[in-house]
Amino acid sequence: MLSTMQDVPLTVTRILNHGTTIHGSSHVTTWTGESEPHRRSYREIGERAAQLAHALHGDLGVTGDERVATLMWNNAEHVEAYYAIPCMGAVLHTLNLRLPVEQLVFIVNHAADRVVIVNGSLLPLLAPLLPHLPTVEHVVVSGPGDRSVLDGAAARVHDYEELLAGKPTAYDWPELDERSAAAMCYTSGTTGEPKGVVYSHRSIYLHSMQVNMAESMGLTDADTSLVVVPQFHVNAWGLPHAVLMTGVNMLMPDRFLQPGPLAEMIETERPTHAAAVPTIWQGLLADLTAKPRDVSSLTQVTIGGAACPPSLMEAFDSLGMRVCHAWGMTETSPLGTVARPPAHAVGTDAEFGYRLTQGRFPAGVEARLRGPDGEFLPWDGESAGELEVRGPWIAGAYYGGASGEPQRPADKFSEDGWLKTGDVGVIGPDGFLTLTDRAKDVIKSGGEWISSVELENALMAHPEVAEAAVVAVPDEKWGERPLATVVLTEGATADYAALKEFLAGRIARWQLPERWAVVPSVPKTSVGKFDKKVIRRQYADGELQVTEVR
Ligand code: ADP
């Protein structure tokens, strides 16, 4: 029997129409660095999104599911592109401006982007790439920047504001199939070549509803969210979509992502929520410690993208900024788990432990664990295996290029279509996930596994350790052993033996690293995570000064 319910497509256009009318007076504020921050209401965002769609279609000839790329910071214009492009039926391709240039060239060509909307400040990055981007016919420049670097480019160059000027402020948005492509994002390649994940209108709609649930971010129109996580990094974790459903205001840092300006933004604009990867918060913490500010408005901080060190959570808690840990990946839109402690643990000794897990799976995400021989493991909080997930906002394949079929590599998708996350961990009987490592980062020592993350967290709890990254290095006797690379705080006096002794109180003796190196900084990936590939290469090439402590 068929249901008797209406079958209304779940599209980004529905979110746009809702957010720009019902929540038309909520706004996005963009930090400008010098003058007053710039404010634009969601009603104006809707009008300008319509103007942008007219320009893309009428002036630039964008039709069908052509790809329009953005090379932009988090700002109001980027939000306009987020809606104009998918709602007109085209596909938004957010470009990660921190990718190595050869990877940027690869993904623009792979996606066959026809238009690039670029912030003026990023023209020095784009201009030299253009000769290698034959599909790009139009470059639309938004905001200040020296445009002369585009002189001689084969692509036609337009000014964003000039294109929009005088265009109608309404657009007859087409009725779209909810399963059609709305946006694409390439994985940042921490683990190999970038791979294109293509989000559907439906997956974005459903994911946004989950982001808005109280068990996830649970924000309302009384909130302002400081969106530090870039719009090119998994759609800024879905925030620019989710907020138009609920009228949450957004505070966008544009290119001012250093700790100083972020602290100033928090003090003056008083956001109630913020989202970013741990390295951003480590930097902010150091800044706030050196120069205390009024950050009392910020009561909820979402941390994900990499494990949140317990010491960071404690430090933020003590400043009144309550951390909520979450796990996800480009392939999961990204919301996979959120660590809100269960009611029975709140106020007890168990609460902090729950908050440090990666979190609990929402109803839309199914999970299972696989052991080394492919067997399914119980949710007993002890059996560690690779996490596999499936659900309506989880990727089932990668983009195969204009003429190619979607790709389902066997190391990323199971035979029955589940996503293999490459993350190793345990799940408790109550559905809380604790990741112990990435499959490729775990240290396989004499048939036992050592968690690099556990060692890092224990090291970073030492007061003289600013950052620590641990990688597996080859060892004749054990196969692999941990190498600890450590960034010391200014004026630190701790030596390796002392650090090892510090670890001994927290970690089983046989897991303690023998190889140590102090480094000026930990190499980071394009989205600010520890780049362990680089550390392994530095070690192999003899670039690190390694001391052995037996
Ligand atoms: P990349 O794979 O290129 O780093 P993603 O941003 O998609 O790009 O990263 C997803 C990965 O980040 C996850 O598979 C996981 O290993 C890691 N990750 C994300 N959130 C967390 C978290 N809260 N704790 C530990 N690891 C995390």
Side-chain angles (χ1 to χ4, degrees):
M1 182 163 68
L2 284 179
S3 86
T4 63
M5 305 315 288
Q6 300 181 9
D7 191 5
V8 178
L10 308 177
T11 58
V12 175
T13 322
R14 305 203 81 76
I15 306 178
L16 174 70
N17 288 338
H18 176 81
T20 56
T21 52
I22 305 274
H23 298 297
S25 59
S26 294
H27 51 260
V28 45
T29 303
T30 306
W31 196 252
T32 57
E34 327 118 1
S35 47
E36 281 290 288
H38 176 269
R39 254 176 262 291
R40 192 167 288 159
S41 72
Y42 288 170
R43 180 168 299 108
E44 291 170 284
I45 292 279
E47 291 169 356
R48 287 168 54 90
Q51 292 182 309
L52 177 59
H54 280 292
L56 289 172
H57 181 61
D59 298 357
L60 275 49
V62 173
T63 56
D65 61 0
E66 286 178 338
R67 268 72 63 205
V68 176
T70 54
L71 186 62
M72 302 174 86
W73 305 103
N74 288 13
N75 50 42
E77 292 73 26
H78 206 170
V79 178
E80 289 156 12
Y82 253 55
Y83 284 95
I85 296 163
C87 295
M88 65 187 282
V91 182
L92 166 76
H93 177 197
T94 50
L95 297 174
N96 178 344
L97 53 92
R98 297 213 172 79
L99 277 187
V101 290
E102 55 288 359
Q103 287 192 11
L104 267 180
V105 169
F106 170 84
I107 67 175
V108 173
N109 288 328
H110 192 258
D113 298 328
R114 234 191 112 200
V115 179
V116 180
I117 308 178
V118 58
N119 278 138
S121 57
L122 294 168
L123 285 175
L125 169 62
L126 180 66
L129 306 185
L130 277 176
H132 309 286
L133 309 176
T135 63
V136 176
E137 292 169 35
H138 301 275
V139 174
V140 181
V141 187
S142 167
D146 176 12
R147 296 168 193 216
S148 69
V149 294
L150 292 176
D151 288 351
R156 281 181 54 202
V157 179
H158 313 263
D159 176 75
Y160 187 89
E161 294 303 328
E162 281 173 19
L163 270 187
L164 265 59
K167 297 281 189 309
T169 52
Y171 192 92
D172 189 12
W173 303 112
E175 267 293 316
L176 298 167
D177 183 331
E178 65 177 16
R179 288 161 301 184
S180 60
M184 64 194 305
C185 182
Y186 282 72
T187 61
S188 56
T190 311
T191 52
E193 276 294 305
K195 295 185 260 317
V197 174
V198 184
Y199 308 105
S200 65
H201 282 265
R202 173 186 155 86
S203 72
I204 289 176
Y205 192 98
L206 293 171
H207 180 262
S208 305
M209 293 189 70
Q210 182 60 47
V211 168
N212 284 321
M213 283 174 82
E215 62 164 353
S216 299
M217 297 195 201
L219 305 175
T220 72
D221 62 355
D223 287 295
T224 295
S225 178
L226 169 58
V227 185
V228 185
V229 54
Q231 287 185 256
F232 57 73
H233 188 200
V234 214
N235 297 324
W237 297 350
L239 280 163
H241 295 122
V243 297
L244 258 73
M245 279 188 166
T246 45
V248 177
N249 304 290
M250 279 191 288
L251 173 58
M252 294 303 209
D254 200 79
R255 60 185 191 281
F256 305 98
L257 296 168
Q258 308 72 22
L262 286 177
E264 196 185 333
M265 265 172 241
I266 296 168
E267 185 164 48
T268 58
E269 290 296 319
R270 306 198 55 76
T272 55
H273 170 258
V277 295
T279 46
I280 292 273
W281 300 120
Q282 295 275 21
L284 184 68
L285 184 63
D287 196 82
L288 289 175
T289 312
K291 187 175 175 201
R293 307 251 194 175
D294 177 5
V295 291
S296 57
S297 68
L298 191 55
T299 52
Q300 204 198 141
V301 169
T302 306
I303 295 191
C308 176
S311 49
L312 182 68
M313 191 176 281
E314 274 166 354
F316 265 65
D317 280 0
S318 68
L319 290 171
M321 298 189 269
R322 192 176 162 96
V323 168
C324 183
H325 193 202
W327 164 85
M329 52 201 299
T330 305
E331 291 88 334
T332 66
S333 290
L335 201 148
T337 55
V338 182
R340 297 235 181 244
H344 67 77
V346 172
T348 74
D349 290 348
E351 182 172 9
F352 195 66
Y354 271 110
R355 290 177 59 208
L356 281 177
T357 69
Q358 270 63 27
R360 187 149 56 169
F361 295 97
V365 180
E366 282 176 85
R368 66 189 188 191
L369 286 177
R370 288 248 205 179
D373 301 321
E375 76 282 19
F376 293 116
L377 300 176
W379 290 15
D380 56 9
E382 282 172 18
S383 309
E386 183 180 359
L387 172 67
E388 297 184 354
V389 290
R390 82 167 172 179
W393 58 83
I394 311 287
Y398 295 112
Y399 183 55
S403 49
E405 290 290 305
Q407 303 289 306
R408 292 185 185 80
D411 62 331
K412 296 301 282 180
F413 298 96
S414 70
E415 271 175 15
D416 55 352
W418 290 55
L419 174 75
K420 298 182 179 176
T421 64
D423 287 324
V424 173
V426 302
I427 302 177
D430 48 6
F432 275 82
L433 167 74
T434 301
L435 290 185
T436 44
D437 227 326
R438 274 189 155 185
K440 59 175 187 45
D441 289 338
V442 78
I443 301 146
K444 299 172 189 93
S445 171
E448 298 281 347
W449 284 4
I450 301 176
S451 160
S452 65
V453 175
E454 209 181 318
L455 284 169
E456 286 160 7
N457 283 341
L459 272 170
M460 285 192 274
H462 191 286
E464 294 189 340
V465 174
E467 273 184 336
V470 177
V471 298
V473 296
D475 183 273
E476 260 184 27
K477 184 160 174 210
W478 300 104
E480 286 180 356
R481 289 295 298 163
L483 158 73
T485 62
V486 182
V487 182
L488 293 176
T489 54
E490 232 179 271
T493 53
D495 59 15
Y496 296 130
L499 290 176
K500 192 166 172 181
E501 204 38 53
F502 179 77
L503 285 186
R506 299 150 187 254
I507 308 264
R509 275 236 167 238
W510 66 270
Q511 302 191 351
L512 301 184
E514 300 78 23
R515 297 174 181 82
W516 293 79
V518 165
V519 291
S521 64
V522 174
K524 308 270 170 21
T525 70
S526 59
V527 289
K529 304 183 194 184
F530 290 173
D531 198 340
K532 298 197 177 177
K533 238 183 353 197
V534 172
I535 305 173
R536 284 190 283 261
R537 187 190 47 70
Q538 288 173 336
Y539 178 79
D541 294 352
E543 284 170 26
L544 297 174
Q545 243 196 347
V546 177
T547 302
E548 296 220 3
V549 186
R550 296 276 167 187

mmCIF file of all heavy atoms in Angstrom, residues 187-190 233 304-307 325-331 358 421 423 435 438 529, ligand 1:
data_model
loop_
_atom_site.group_PDB
_atom_site.id
_atom_site.type_symbol
_atom_site.label_atom_id
_atom_site.label_comp_id
_atom_site.label_asym_id
_atom_site.label_seq_id
_atom_site.Cartn_x
_atom_site.Cartn_y
_atom_site.Cartn_z
ATOM 1 N N THR A 187 37.742 15.375 -1.059
ATOM 2 C CA THR A 187 38.418 15.071 0.202
ATOM 3 C C THR A 187 39.781 15.757 0.166
ATOM 4 O O THR A 187 40.362 15.941 -0.911
ATOM 5 C CB THR A 187 38.630 13.559 0.379
ATOM 6 O OG1 THR A 187 39.457 13.095 -0.690
ATOM 7 C CG2 THR A 187 37.324 12.809 0.366
ATOM 8 N N SER A 188 40.286 16.127 1.333
ATOM 9 C CA SER A 188 41.485 16.961 1.341
ATOM 10 C C SER A 188 42.746 16.153 1.087
ATOM 11 O O SER A 188 43.844 16.695 1.087
ATOM 12 C CB SER A 188 41.592 17.750 2.631
ATOM 13 O OG SER A 188 41.563 16.873 3.721
ATOM 14 N N GLY A 189 42.598 14.878 0.851
ATOM 15 C CA GLY A 189 43.753 14.124 0.375
ATOM 16 C C GLY A 189 44.769 13.805 1.454
ATOM 17 O O GLY A 189 45.917 13.540 1.148
ATOM 18 N N THR A 190 44.346 13.831 2.750
ATOM 19 C CA THR A 190 45.254 13.403 3.817
ATOM 20 C C THR A 190 45.720 11.986 3.506
ATOM 21 O O THR A 190 46.802 11.573 3.863
ATOM 22 C CB THR A 190 44.520 13.407 5.173
ATOM 23 O OG1 THR A 190 43.860 14.652 5.317
ATOM 24 C CG2 THR A 190 45.467 13.208 6.329
ATOM 25 N N HIS A 233 35.451 23.367 3.526
ATOM 26 C CA HIS A 233 35.724 22.131 4.265
ATOM 27 C C HIS A 233 34.393 21.483 4.659
ATOM 28 O O HIS A 233 33.797 21.840 5.673
ATOM 29 C CB HIS A 233 36.592 22.433 5.492
ATOM 30 C CG HIS A 233 37.062 21.193 6.195
ATOM 31 N ND1 HIS A 233 37.488 21.173 7.491
ATOM 32 C CD2 HIS A 233 37.158 19.918 5.765
ATOM 33 C CE1 HIS A 233 37.819 19.943 7.830
ATOM 34 N NE2 HIS A 233 37.622 19.165 6.797
ATOM 35 N N GLY A 304 35.672 19.317 15.965
ATOM 36 C CA GLY A 304 35.701 18.064 15.225
ATOM 37 C C GLY A 304 36.780 18.146 14.180
ATOM 38 O O GLY A 304 37.548 19.107 14.131
ATOM 39 N N GLY A 305 36.832 17.141 13.328
ATOM 40 C CA GLY A 305 37.836 17.124 12.266
ATOM 41 C C GLY A 305 39.098 16.406 12.691
ATOM 42 O O GLY A 305 39.842 15.894 11.877
ATOM 43 N N ALA A 306 39.359 16.396 13.980
ATOM 44 C CA ALA A 306 40.466 15.642 14.573
ATOM 45 C C ALA A 306 40.103 15.492 16.044
ATOM 46 O O ALA A 306 39.247 16.228 16.545
ATOM 47 C CB ALA A 306 41.792 16.378 14.422
ATOM 48 N N ALA A 307 40.743 14.547 16.726
ATOM 49 C CA ALA A 307 40.372 14.298 18.118
ATOM 50 C C ALA A 307 40.650 15.526 18.978
ATOM 51 O O ALA A 307 41.675 16.181 18.820
ATOM 52 C CB ALA A 307 41.154 13.100 18.644
ATOM 53 N N HIS A 325 32.281 17.719 21.374
ATOM 54 C CA HIS A 325 33.133 17.000 20.433
ATOM 55 C C HIS A 325 32.264 16.290 19.400
ATOM 56 O O HIS A 325 31.196 15.768 19.744
ATOM 57 C CB HIS A 325 33.937 15.971 21.241
ATOM 58 C CG HIS A 325 35.083 15.354 20.524
ATOM 59 N ND1 HIS A 325 35.621 14.157 20.899
ATOM 60 C CD2 HIS A 325 35.803 15.767 19.465
ATOM 61 C CE1 HIS A 325 36.639 13.867 20.098
ATOM 62 N NE2 HIS A 325 36.759 14.828 19.223
ATOM 63 N N ALA A 326 32.688 16.283 18.150
ATOM 64 C CA ALA A 326 31.914 15.622 17.098
ATOM 65 C C ALA A 326 32.857 14.980 16.103
ATOM 66 O O ALA A 326 33.997 15.415 15.941
ATOM 67 C CB ALA A 326 31.024 16.631 16.384
ATOM 68 N N TRP A 327 32.375 13.936 15.461
ATOM 69 C CA TRP A 327 33.189 13.244 14.450
ATOM 70 C C TRP A 327 32.468 13.251 13.099
ATOM 71 O O TRP A 327 31.240 13.150 13.045
ATOM 72 C CB TRP A 327 33.443 11.786 14.868
ATOM 73 C CG TRP A 327 33.934 10.932 13.727
ATOM 74 C CD1 TRP A 327 35.222 10.800 13.310
ATOM 75 C CD2 TRP A 327 33.144 10.134 12.830
ATOM 76 N NE1 TRP A 327 35.288 9.968 12.217
ATOM 77 C CE2 TRP A 327 34.025 9.543 11.907
ATOM 78 C CE3 TRP A 327 31.775 9.863 12.734
ATOM 79 C CZ2 TRP A 327 33.588 8.698 10.888
ATOM 80 C CZ3 TRP A 327 31.337 9.028 11.711
ATOM 81 C CH2 TRP A 327 32.254 8.450 10.796
ATOM 82 N N GLY A 328 33.254 13.381 12.041
ATOM 83 C CA GLY A 328 32.678 13.250 10.706
ATOM 84 C C GLY A 328 33.757 13.333 9.668
ATOM 85 O O GLY A 328 34.943 13.473 9.987
ATOM 86 N N MET A 329 33.377 13.239 8.430
ATOM 87 C CA MET A 329 34.331 13.322 7.332
ATOM 88 C C MET A 329 33.621 13.850 6.095
ATOM 89 O O MET A 329 32.390 13.930 6.052
ATOM 90 C CB MET A 329 34.988 11.959 7.085
ATOM 91 C CG MET A 329 34.027 10.809 6.912
ATOM 92 S SD MET A 329 34.763 9.175 7.214
ATOM 93 C CE MET A 329 36.027 9.111 5.972
ATOM 94 N N THR A 330 34.405 14.232 5.089
ATOM 95 C CA THR A 330 33.832 14.765 3.854
ATOM 96 C C THR A 330 32.726 13.833 3.345
ATOM 97 O O THR A 330 31.667 14.288 2.904
ATOM 98 C CB THR A 330 34.946 14.907 2.795
ATOM 99 O OG1 THR A 330 35.989 15.711 3.360
ATOM 100 C CG2 THR A 330 34.424 15.568 1.540
ATOM 101 N N GLU A 331 32.964 12.553 3.436
ATOM 102 C CA GLU A 331 32.016 11.562 2.914
ATOM 103 C C GLU A 331 30.747 11.449 3.758
ATOM 104 O O GLU A 331 29.785 10.800 3.349
ATOM 105 C CB GLU A 331 32.685 10.175 2.867
ATOM 106 C CG GLU A 331 33.786 10.031 1.836
ATOM 107 C CD GLU A 331 35.160 10.435 2.362
ATOM 108 O OE1 GLU A 331 35.227 11.262 3.297
ATOM 109 O OE2 GLU A 331 36.165 9.934 1.830
ATOM 110 N N GLN A 358 33.999 10.301 20.676
ATOM 111 C CA GLN A 358 33.632 11.020 19.447
ATOM 112 C C GLN A 358 32.131 11.273 19.435
ATOM 113 O O GLN A 358 31.666 12.143 18.714
ATOM 114 C CB GLN A 358 34.068 10.219 18.221
ATOM 115 C CG GLN A 358 35.477 10.541 17.746
ATOM 116 C CD GLN A 358 36.558 10.209 18.743
ATOM 117 O OE1 GLN A 358 36.409 9.324 19.586
ATOM 118 N NE2 GLN A 358 37.677 10.906 18.668
ATOM 119 N N THR A 421 35.230 3.888 6.786
ATOM 120 C CA THR A 421 35.710 5.217 7.182
ATOM 121 C C THR A 421 37.226 5.299 7.287
ATOM 122 O O THR A 421 37.786 6.394 7.287
ATOM 123 C CB THR A 421 35.125 5.631 8.545
ATOM 124 O OG1 THR A 421 35.619 4.711 9.523
ATOM 125 C CG2 THR A 421 33.612 5.625 8.529
ATOM 126 N N ASP A 423 38.642 4.769 9.932
ATOM 127 C CA ASP A 423 38.849 5.108 11.341
ATOM 128 C C ASP A 423 38.685 3.849 12.188
ATOM 129 O O ASP A 423 37.777 3.046 11.950
ATOM 130 C CB ASP A 423 37.851 6.171 11.794
ATOM 131 C CG ASP A 423 38.184 7.535 11.222
ATOM 132 O OD1 ASP A 423 39.375 7.848 11.092
ATOM 133 O OD2 ASP A 423 37.247 8.282 10.885
ATOM 134 N N LEU A 435 37.159 6.695 18.982
ATOM 135 C CA LEU A 435 38.151 6.364 17.968
ATOM 136 C C LEU A 435 39.499 6.255 18.636
ATOM 137 O O LEU A 435 39.865 7.081 19.479
ATOM 138 C CB LEU A 435 38.199 7.452 16.899
ATOM 139 C CG LEU A 435 36.993 7.547 15.972
ATOM 140 C CD1 LEU A 435 37.260 8.594 14.898
ATOM 141 C CD2 LEU A 435 36.680 6.205 15.334
ATOM 142 N N ARG A 438 43.393 6.420 13.167
ATOM 143 C CA ARG A 438 43.075 6.130 11.780
ATOM 144 C C ARG A 438 43.759 4.819 11.432
ATOM 145 O O ARG A 438 44.864 4.561 11.913
ATOM 146 C CB ARG A 438 43.615 7.234 10.872
ATOM 147 C CG ARG A 438 42.666 8.375 10.754
ATOM 148 C CD ARG A 438 43.115 9.332 9.693
ATOM 149 N NE ARG A 438 41.967 10.074 9.189
ATOM 150 C CZ ARG A 438 42.012 10.917 8.184
ATOM 151 N NH1 ARG A 438 43.144 11.139 7.559
ATOM 152 N NH2 ARG A 438 40.934 11.546 7.796
ATOM 153 N N LYS A 529 44.901 19.801 10.030
ATOM 154 C CA LYS A 529 45.147 18.622 10.862
ATOM 155 C C LYS A 529 46.624 18.255 10.810
ATOM 156 O O LYS A 529 47.317 18.621 9.870
ATOM 157 C CB LYS A 529 44.333 17.446 10.335
ATOM 158 C CG LYS A 529 42.871 17.735 10.247
ATOM 159 C CD LYS A 529 42.136 16.506 9.800
ATOM 160 C CE LYS A 529 40.740 16.880 9.377
ATOM 161 N NZ LYS A 529 39.958 15.710 9.029
HETATM 162 P P1 ADP B 1 40.719 14.144 5.275
HETATM 163 O O1 ADP B 1 40.311 12.701 5.233
HETATM 164 O O2 ADP B 1 41.347 14.573 4.027
HETATM 165 O O3 ADP B 1 41.489 14.528 6.505
HETATM 166 P P2 ADP B 1 38.163 14.932 6.260
HETATM 167 O O4 ADP B 1 37.967 16.307 6.715
HETATM 168 O O5 ADP B 1 37.075 14.280 5.537
HETATM 169 O O6 ADP B 1 39.405 14.988 5.341
HETATM 170 O O7 ADP B 1 38.620 14.080 7.504
HETATM 171 C C1 ADP B 1 37.874 13.058 8.068
HETATM 172 C C2 ADP B 1 38.685 12.348 9.103
HETATM 173 O O8 ADP B 1 39.058 13.215 10.159
HETATM 174 C C3 ADP B 1 37.962 11.226 9.779
HETATM 175 O O9 ADP B 1 37.962 10.055 8.998
HETATM 176 C C4 ADP B 1 38.759 11.065 11.074
HETATM 177 O O10 ADP B 1 39.924 10.293 10.883
HETATM 178 C C5 ADP B 1 39.173 12.472 11.375
HETATM 179 N N1 ADP B 1 38.266 13.033 12.385
HETATM 180 C C6 ADP B 1 37.228 13.840 12.203
HETATM 181 N N2 ADP B 1 36.651 14.181 13.369
HETATM 182 C C7 ADP B 1 37.343 13.550 14.337
HETATM 183 C C8 ADP B 1 37.239 13.475 15.761
HETATM 184 N N3 ADP B 1 36.327 14.145 16.452
HETATM 185 N N4 ADP B 1 38.127 12.699 16.417
HETATM 186 C C9 ADP B 1 39.082 12.014 15.751
HETATM 187 N N5 ADP B 1 39.234 12.050 14.421
HETATM 188 C C10 ADP B 1 38.379 12.804 13.710
#
